[in-house]
């Protein structure tokens, strides 16, 4: 006869529970622990613990090193995924805070592995972010985020980016050629905001502020509809004044 289960009571898999207790026990010992100790701490018979430890080792959740068990790469990937999710959540929460502070959509982007990556965007229905109608990664020359990130790179690294993503006009206002773009970048001060008007999207103005976080090239940016251009300087100054506080929250998350 099949067992009868009470409605609403979950069916628990005992072997999974035992394996998780072993993982928790192994994770509590930075230098590893032998099977007998893990079995004792997990409250399991030694033969059962051996069987589960072999399975967990085979699947990569544990490693056996000089007679003791330590967490393996599979377990570390699980932990890393949770940490990454937490970091992204912190970034988005911070962006939402500064969006409300400056009253405009806020963007956070980095230059990583040769590409421009917009890590997070925070906007509202009343003040929507600029639509990514042309791939941000390929059009760095045309928007404030990309120009700000490129301006923080050395000439060799910029050239490598241009080789992959040539400069070309995507609106009537986009910088026309590489020489003009390089002249503009060369004229920027070290921590000077980058402002572009309708170079990426018609009817939109954008500004980006360079950020320093170790060796990571990053930027915070805002966008406004063209008819609100008179607000641009206020919004940029307000965001600049908050960058220090933002970095204290995001500095450990900037590498995600």
């Amino acid at each position: 006869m099949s067992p009868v289960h009470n409605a609403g009571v979950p069916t628990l898999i005992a072997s999974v529970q035992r394996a998780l207790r072993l993982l928790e026990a192994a994770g509590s010992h930075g230098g590893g622990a032998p099977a007998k100790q893990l079995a004792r701490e997990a409250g399991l018979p030694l033969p059962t613990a051996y069987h589960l430890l072999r399975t967990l080792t085979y699947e990569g959740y544990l490693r056996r090193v000089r007679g003791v068990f330590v967490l393996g790469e599979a377990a570390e990937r699980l932990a890393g995924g949770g940490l990454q999710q937490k970091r992204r959540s912190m970034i988005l929460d911070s962006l939402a805070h500064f969006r409300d502070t400056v009253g405009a959509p806020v963007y956070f982007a980095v230059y990583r592995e040769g590409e421009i990556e917009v890590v997070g965007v925070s906007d509202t229905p009343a003040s929507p972010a600029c639509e990514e109608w042309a791939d941000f990664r390929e059009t760095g020359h045309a928007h404030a985020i990309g120009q700000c990130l490129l301006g923080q790179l050395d000439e060799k690294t910029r050239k490598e980016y241009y080789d992959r993503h040539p400069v070309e006009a995507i609106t009537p206002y986009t910088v026309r050629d590489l020489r003009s773009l390089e002249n503009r970048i060369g004229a920027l001060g070290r921590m000077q905001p980058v402002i572009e008007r309708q170079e990426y999207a018609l009817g939109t103005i954008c500004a980006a502020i360079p950020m320093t976080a170790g060796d990571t090239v990053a930027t915070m940016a805002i966008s406004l509809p063209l008819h609100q251009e008179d607000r641009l300087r206020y919004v940029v100054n307000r965001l600049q004044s908050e960058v220090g506080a933002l970095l204290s929250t995001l500095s450990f998350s900037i590498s995600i």
Side-chain angles (χ1 to χ4, degrees):
M1 293 178 63
S2 60
V4 177
H5 299 286
N6 294 330
V9 177
T11 300
L12 303 180
I13 309 301
S15 59
V16 175
Q17 291 178 303
R18 297 183 188 115
L20 291 173
R21 289 204 295 270
L22 282 172
L23 282 175
E24 290 172 352
S28 68
H29 299 281
K36 289 183 178 179
Q37 182 177 358
L38 295 177
R40 183 172 63 254
E41 293 179 1
L44 300 176
L46 188 57
T48 300
Y50 273 130
H51 176 71
L52 291 171
L53 288 170
R54 282 196 299 269
T55 302
L56 290 168
T57 301
Y58 177 80
E59 296 293 338
Y61 290 95
L62 291 174
R63 288 186 298 116
R64 190 171 186 179
V65 182
R66 294 187 295 276
V68 299
F69 291 89
V70 298
L71 293 180
E73 291 183 1
E76 292 170 356
R77 285 196 298 271
L78 285 177
L83 180 58
Q84 185 180 61
Q85 186 176 21
K86 180 179 179 180
R87 287 172 172 173
R88 287 191 180 276
S89 177
M90 289 185 66
I91 287 175
L92 293 177
D93 288 347
S94 297
L95 293 181
H97 167 75
F98 287 102
R99 173 203 69 204
D100 295 340
T101 299
V102 303
V106 178
Y107 310 73
F108 177 54
V110 298
Y111 190 84
R112 178 163 42 215
E113 297 180 357
E115 297 294 347
I116 292 166
E117 180 182 346
V118 178
V119 178
V121 180
S122 186
D123 62 357
T124 65
S127 299
C130 179
E131 180 182 356
E132 186 179 357
W133 71 273
D135 194 328
F136 281 146
R137 294 170 299 179
E138 299 177 2
T139 56
H141 64 282
H143 48 73
I145 287 174
Q147 292 174 22
C148 186
L149 293 174
L150 292 170
Q152 297 178 68
L153 304 176
D154 58 60
E155 291 185 10
K156 178 184 176 184
T157 306
R158 282 204 305 274
K159 183 179 183 303
E160 291 171 350
Y161 176 84
Y162 299 143
D163 289 342
R164 292 190 302 277
H165 308 301
V167 175
E168 59 182 6
I170 60 174
T171 80
Y173 303 93
T174 308
V175 63
R176 292 292 176 174
D177 53 66
L178 179 56
R179 177 178 295 181
S180 299
L181 177 62
E182 281 290 284
N183 287 340
R184 179 188 297 183
I185 288 175
L188 292 171
R190 182 173 175 273
M191 298 303 290
Q192 181 179 343
V194 176
I195 296 173
E196 58 91 356
R197 293 171 173 83
Q198 305 191 89
E199 295 181 47
Y200 176 81
L202 295 177
T204 302
I205 55 175
C206 299
I209 299 169
M211 297 175 65
T212 302
D215 295 330
T216 302
V217 173
T219 182
M220 288 280 295
I222 59 92
S223 64
L224 291 171
L226 186 62
H227 68 268
Q228 293 184 20
E229 184 171 7
D230 59 335
R231 294 186 57 225
L232 182 65
R233 180 51 57 186
Y234 164 79
V235 171
V236 171
N237 289 343
R238 187 70 186 271
L239 186 59
Q240 277 187 300
S241 70
E242 300 286 351
V243 163
L246 178 68
L247 274 178
S248 68
T249 302
L250 298 183
S251 59
F252 81 100
S253 307
I254 206 169
S255 62
I256 67 173

